[in-house]
C-alpha cells in the first residue's frame, strides 16, 4: 500500500531564511507526487507536482521540490521565506498509472510558522 | 470566477440529527470528491463521483451519504450513524476522473453540540 510520511509536524523559520519541508513516500511503482498548501480555515491549493522528467520541479509562490528516487523523497524548498508562507503543507502521492485522484494518499501535514 | 463553493462555513449538529453539507462547482469538472480532515491527520476520502449519477465509497464512507444528480453539485449528508462527526470537511473536483489534479473548496467545519 502506498503511504506518505511528513516527519516534521511543526517548523518555525525566520522571515528571509531558507526552508525545506521533508516528504518521504512508499510506492511500489512510479509515483506521481504533489505538494499542496492550506491556509487556516481554507481549502488546499496545489503548489507543484512531479510525474516524470526533470527531478527538480518549480511551482507557484517561489517553491520548488526535488524528486529523489533513491531516497524515496520529494522535499519542498524555498530560498527565502515570506511571512505570508505561514500555512500547513501537505505532500501527496498516487501511482502514475492509477489515473484517478481517488487514489491519492496525503501526508499528515507540516505546519509552518514564520517569525518576523 | 470559476471555483468550488462550500456552504455553510460552520455547521453544528445535534445528537441524532442528519446534516447536509453543500458543494457546488462551476468549473465544468466531471469528478468530485469529499474529504474529511482531522487535526494532525492527512485528508481521508469519504466519497467520490467520477461522473454525474454515479458515486463510489472512499476509505471512510460509513455514516455518510452523497448524491450526484447534477454535474455541478455533490452534497454530503452526515447521518446520525456517524458517531464522531466533528471535523473539517473539504470538497474537491478534478477535470475528469482520470486527472489527479484537485481543486478544493474552502471547507466546512462541522461540530457537535
Amino acid at each position: 500500500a502506498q503511504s506518505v510520511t511528513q516527519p516534521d509536524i511543526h517548523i518555525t523559520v525566520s522571515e528571509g531564511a531558507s526552508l525545506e519541508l521533508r516528504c518521504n513516500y512508499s510506492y511500489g511503482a512510479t509515483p506521481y507526487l504533489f505538494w499542496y498548501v492550506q491556509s487556516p480555515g481554507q481549502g488546499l491549493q496545489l503548489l507543484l507536482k512531479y510525474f516524470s522528467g526533470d527531478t527538480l520541479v518549480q511551482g507557484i509562490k517561489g517553491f520548488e521540490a526535488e524528486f529523489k528516487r533513491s531516497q524515496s523523497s520529494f522535499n519542498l524548498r524555498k530560498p527565502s521565506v515570506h511571512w505570508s508562507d505561514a500555512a500547513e503543507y501537505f505532500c501527496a502521492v498516487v501511482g502514475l498509472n492509477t489515473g484517478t485522484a481517488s487514489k491519492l494518499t496525503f501526508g499528515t501535514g507540516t505546519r509552518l510558522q514564520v517569525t518576523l | 470566477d470559476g471555483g468550488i463553493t462550500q456552504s455553510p462555513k460552520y455547521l453544528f449538529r445535534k445528537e441524532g440529527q442528519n446534516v447536509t453539507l453543500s458543494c457546488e462547482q462551476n468549473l465544468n469538472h466531471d469528478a468530485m470528491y469529499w474529504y474529511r480532515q482531522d487535526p494532525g491527520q492527512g485528508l481521508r476520502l469519504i466519497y467520490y463521483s467520477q461522473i454525474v449519477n454515479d458515486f463510489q465509497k472512499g476509505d471512510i464512507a460509513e455514516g455518510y451519504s452523497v448524491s450526484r444528480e447534477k454535474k455541478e453539485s455533490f452534497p454530503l449528508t452526515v447521518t446520525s450513524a456517524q458517531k464522531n462527526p466533528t471535523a473539517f470537511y473539504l470538497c474537491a473536483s478534478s477535470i475528469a476522473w482520470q486527472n489527479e489534479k484537485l481543486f478544493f473548496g474552502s471547507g466546512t467545519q462541522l461540530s457537535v453540540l
Side-chain angles (χ1 to χ4, degrees), chain B residues 5-9 11 18-24 34-35 46 64-66 73-78 85 87-91 107-110:
Chain B
T5 301
Q6 290 188 242
S7 61
K9 183 69 174 175
L11 187 58
N18 293 352
V19 293
T20 297
L21 285 62
S22 172
C23 177
E24 302 279 331
W34 274 105
Y35 289 91
I46 304 172
Y64 300 97
S65 66
V66 294
S73 179
F74 190 42
L76 173 74
T77 296
V78 183
F88 191 56
Y89 291 86
L90 285 163
C91 180
T108 293
Q109 175 64 50
L110 175 62

Side-chain angles (χ1 to χ4, degrees), chain A residues 100-101, chain B residues 4 25 28-33 48-52 68 71 74 92-99 102:
Chain A
T100 170
Chain B
I4 299 178
Q25 55 101 356
N28 200 34
H29 286 180
D30 281 337
M32 297 186 75
Y33 311 82
Y48 64 99
S49 169
Q50 295 179 342
I51 200 165
V52 66
R68 187 85 188 278
K71 186 176 185 178
F74 190 42
S93 69
S94 60
I95 294 173
W97 66 269
Q98 304 94 331
N99 192 294
L102 292 173

Side-chain angles (χ1 to χ4, degrees), chain A residues 32 34 36 38 41-44 46 90 94-96 99-102 104 106-108, chain B residues 9 33 35 37 40-43 45 48 88 90 97-102 104-106:
Chain A
Y32 192 170
F34 302 79
Y36 283 88
Q38 183 181 33
Q42 298 296 316
L44 278 68
L46 181 66
F90 292 90
V94 68
L96 183 59
T100 170
S102 67
L104 270 170
F106 287 86
T108 53
Chain B
K9 183 69 174 175
Y33 311 82
Y35 289 91
Q37 185 178 22
Q41 297 192 35
L43 278 67
L45 184 64
Y48 64 99
F88 191 56
L90 285 163
W97 66 269
Q98 304 94 331
N99 192 294
E100 300 90 345
K101 182 178 177 181
L102 292 173
F104 284 86
S106 57

